[in-house]
Amino acid sequence: MKALLILGLLLLSVAVQGKKFERCELARTLKRLGLDGYRGVSLANWMCLARWESNYNTRATNYNRGDKSTDYGIFQINSRWWCNDGKTPRAVNACRIPCSALLKDDITQAVACAKRVVSDPQGIKAWVAWRNKCQNKDVRSYVKGCRV
């Protein structure tokens, strides 16, 4: 009985953690989903963004006390503007998706929403982590050795 309980707790913790992509696995996935060169943003820049926003983790979340919004998923897409979490005041939901869709191991919807975000006038500069960690930096190392 005790072993069954431990196994159940282990499985639950794996389910809550979500998928943490390996670097090259994510690079191949983003390329397959059409992000390489999308709106002029290189795959290496998308990889740098994902590294610093979520450390390649699909279940990453971050609550923002100032506007009571939350950032969701591998790209840390914000509930104030891009998705609906049912609790963010004055949410816009420009991607027309529930924020929970951004936490799935299948990142197809997260990529579609990221494409929507980068299509706005701010482009990739909408992401603070990209501005702070990737902008004007050599980001080739994020895809080095991945054969993409």
Side-chain angles (χ1 to χ4, degrees):
M1 183 67 169
K2 194 175 192 179
L4 193 57
L5 179 63
I6 290 171
L7 179 62
L9 288 172
L10 255 167
L11 289 173
L12 181 62
S13 73
V14 169
V16 170
Q17 288 176 4
K19 180 173 180 73
K20 184 161 190 253
F21 277 87
E22 294 296 326
R23 182 177 59 87
C24 289
E25 175 191 15
L26 180 60
R28 287 188 296 273
T29 302
L30 297 183
K31 184 170 180 129
R32 180 176 49 80
L33 293 173
L35 274 185
D36 189 15
Y38 188 81
R39 294 285 175 154
V41 180
S42 71
L43 182 60
N45 272 288
W46 286 109
M47 288 295 296
C48 181
L49 165 69
R51 164 61 178 87
W52 294 106
E53 286 289 356
S54 68
N55 200 24
Y56 310 138
N57 187 346
T58 61
R59 295 285 172 108
T61 60
N62 180 49
Y63 181 69
N64 305 295
R65 290 183 185 174
D67 67 356
K68 299 183 172 114
S69 69
T70 303
D71 301 327
Y72 290 90
I74 203 152
F75 298 114
Q76 291 293 278
I77 292 173
N78 187 265
S79 63
R80 172 72 176 92
W81 300 105
W82 305 107
C83 63
N84 179 19
D85 63 5
K87 57 187 179 186
T88 302
R90 300 172 313 281
V92 175
N93 193 11
C95 289
R96 300 188 189 311
I97 58 170
C99 296
S100 60
L102 301 171
L103 299 175
K104 292 180 179 179
D105 293 351
D106 176 350
I107 62 169
T108 304
Q109 288 180 289
V111 166
C113 188
K115 286 178 176 178
R116 170 65 183 88
V117 174
V118 83
S119 296
D120 260 20
Q122 268 193 299
I124 194 122
K125 291 179 182 176
W127 281 278
V128 174
W130 183 85
R131 291 193 317 260
N132 291 340
K133 299 287 189 174
C134 311
Q135 186 176 17
N136 300 319
K137 304 252 174 38
D138 182 355
V139 292
R140 291 177 292 187
S141 64
Y142 292 94
V143 294
K144 187 174 183 173
C146 294
R147 298 187 180 133
V148 289

